[in-house]
Amino acid sequence: MIQLNNVTKKYPGDVIAVDNVSLEIEKGETIVFVGTSGCGKTTTLKLINRLIDLTSGSITIEGKDISEVDSYALRRTIGFVIQNVGLFPHFTIERNVGVVPELIGWDKEKTRERTGELLTMVGLEPEVFADRFPGELSGGQQQRVGVARALAANPDVILMDEPFGALDPITRETLQDELSPLWNDLEKTVVFVTHDIFEAVKIGDRIAAMDSGKILQVGKPSEVIKYPKDETVASFFAQHRFQLELLTTRIEPIIEAYDENRVKDIKDKITLHPNDSLIDAMDALKSSKDNIVPVFDTQKKYLGIVNRASVTKEISNLIEQ
Ligand SMILES: Nc1ncnc2c1ncn2[C@@H]1O[C@H](COP(=O)(O)OP(=O)(O)O)[C@@H](O)[C@H]1O
Ligand SMILES: [Mg+2]
């Protein structure tokens, strides 16, 4: 667990970048800081790995005050991904991913093995990419390398500062879809910063809405969207409220029992997961051209179906609210 206790960061000239922030970040969760430019997201993130030092308050990770840990040592235990990754241009991809393992003294063989595993994990075949240089990769591929590098020494905590911010919308969505399950499955604690509210809602187990250095509200995406605490938080979502509600309403409550053998008759392979949203359900219904879609959990256990009528009913409930 990461704990921020009354954390304040002042810059010269009386800029209060982070203003008395207290927050508990659970082990294994993905928390997303969302807010407009200049609200203090990056500063908060950099306080956690001591790229900058706080003015007052304290931060602990697993109960240990980070001010008591050597800042270089601390950073080696925390993955960090930024926009435009900051890969070393004259290092191969393999060497870039292996930077931290090398620093902490892993032997060459172990580092090479780990690098290969990680590149595969983020969807880049090592045979193709390991010996290339960053300039020979697309922006999206470079961000994949950035994520692989952050995972290299197997840190418990990963900080991400608008990692997909510079990518085109399609690449951005692909990386969100492919990489966030990866760090969730690995049970990493992820602190993710974005100004993109859709990204926040999609990736976050919880979101922390920030403004003027303060955290205004923390909660599950569906809660924060449905019950914004004040006008400022409401204004973050105002323009896209309906879309965001569709995106954050899960299908789990509308799953119905249905004979598994009859589901087997459905030729389409389109299925849903209980965490999927009404939008996913609409997409699935549209593509399957059927009136029902089977639902399976992560372990591929059959849970039942959702049907067109209940999805439509949920949507009309949202319209009427
Ligand atoms: N090194 C710095 N010196 C002075 N002011 C800074 C510095 N870095 C950030 N700030 C100011 O702190 C505030 C928060 O910045 P930042 O955390 O980068 O915001 P965000 O990441 O949410 O866009 C802004 O007003 C910014 O101008
Ligand atoms: Mg920033």
Side-chain angles (χ1 to χ4, degrees):
M1 186 170 70
I2 305 173
Q3 229 168 338
L4 281 67
N5 311 301
N6 304 101
V7 170
T8 293
K9 174 65 186 180
K10 288 185 189 157
Y11 286 115
D14 275 342
V15 180
I16 305 180
V18 179
D19 189 1
N20 199 30
V21 164
S22 293
L23 178 68
E24 280 183 8
I25 301 169
E26 302 296 330
K27 214 177 159 80
E29 80 168 324
T30 300
I31 188 159
V32 181
F33 285 78
V34 65
T36 50
S37 178
C39 73
K41 305 181 297 295
T42 295
T43 305
T44 308
L45 209 63
K46 287 182 173 172
L47 289 170
I48 297 175
N49 69 357
R50 289 195 55 198
L51 275 172
I52 48 185
D53 281 315
L54 38 74
T55 307
S56 61
S58 66
I59 298 176
T60 63
I61 299 182
E62 296 307 313
K64 194 160 178 54
D65 193 320
I66 61 165
S67 68
E68 289 160 17
V69 184
D70 171 67
S71 65
Y72 291 99
L74 179 75
R75 282 198 287 280
R76 277 173 213 153
T77 64
I78 298 179
F80 192 41
V81 189
I82 53 173
Q83 210 177 93
N84 303 321
V85 259
L87 298 177
F88 298 109
H90 53 286
F91 281 8
T92 62
I93 297 307
E94 176 171 270
R95 187 131 184 247
N96 265 289
V97 175
V99 162
V100 176
E102 197 178 306
L103 273 174
I104 59 179
W106 287 18
D107 68 52
K108 279 219 166 69
E109 206 41 50
K110 186 175 169 194
T111 304
R112 170 169 301 233
E113 205 174 292
R114 176 78 179 146
T115 307
E117 263 172 40
L118 284 160
L119 286 176
T120 308
M121 227 191 261
V122 298
L124 301 171
E125 303 105 86
E127 304 75 32
V128 180
F129 292 98
D131 297 327
R132 287 202 198 170
F133 290 91
E136 298 167 331
L137 267 60
S138 72
Q141 289 166 341
Q142 290 187 35
Q143 290 304 126
R144 289 176 190 268
V145 176
V147 171
R149 182 176 60 178
L151 291 167
N154 203 17
D156 293 327
V157 177
I158 303 173
L159 311 178
M160 302 201 183
D161 192 357
E162 313 219 14
F164 311 140
L167 304 172
D168 64 86
I170 294 174
T171 308
R172 189 186 313 160
E173 275 199 42
T174 310
L175 294 201
Q176 290 164 355
D177 290 342
E178 288 182 19
L179 299 181
S180 67
L182 181 70
W183 63 68
N184 287 335
D185 289 351
L186 295 169
E187 293 178 6
K188 302 299 178 191
T189 306
V190 174
V191 190
F192 192 106
V193 159
T194 183
H195 61 266
D196 175 346
I197 189 71
F198 283 94
E199 182 167 74
V201 158
K202 194 162 175 184
I203 285 184
D205 296 315
R206 289 194 301 159
I207 58 183
M210 264 193 107
D211 189 54
S212 306
K214 290 188 180 357
I215 292 183
L216 303 179
Q217 186 171 359
V218 190
K220 287 187 187 152
S222 54
E223 283 167 17
V224 180
I225 285 163
K226 231 181 177 136
Y227 309 108
K229 208 167 127 192
D230 60 25
E231 294 282 306
T232 313
V233 180
S235 73
F236 288 6
F237 314 118
Q239 277 184 316
H240 307 288
R241 180 100 190 258
F242 181 59
Q243 272 184 71
L244 289 164
E245 283 188 327
L246 287 176
L247 202 60
T248 53
T249 306
R250 300 165 67 234
I251 59 157
E252 187 163 34
I254 58 167
I255 299 174
E256 296 166 32
Y258 192 88
D259 184 358
E260 187 172 6
N261 292 315
R262 285 172 67 197
V263 165
K264 289 201 181 106
D265 297 339
I266 300 175
K267 287 184 200 70
D268 291 295
K269 291 264 162 32
I270 295 167
T271 65
L272 286 165
H273 183 278
N275 279 337
D276 283 341
S277 68
L278 288 179
I279 293 204
D280 298 317
M282 284 153 71
D283 281 340
L285 285 164
K286 197 168 158 70
S287 322
S288 75
K289 306 222 164 39
D290 209 318
N291 283 321
I292 61 172
V293 182
V295 184
F296 293 86
D297 70 9
T298 313
Q299 280 77 48
K300 310 268 184 262
K301 184 171 160 250
Y302 175 69
L303 301 175
I305 54 111
V306 293
N307 78 50
R308 190 176 294 272
S310 32
V311 172
T312 316
K313 185 159 158 258
E314 283 294 301
I315 295 169
S316 69
N317 287 344
L318 286 182
I319 295 171
E320 269 145 40
Q321 266 168 26

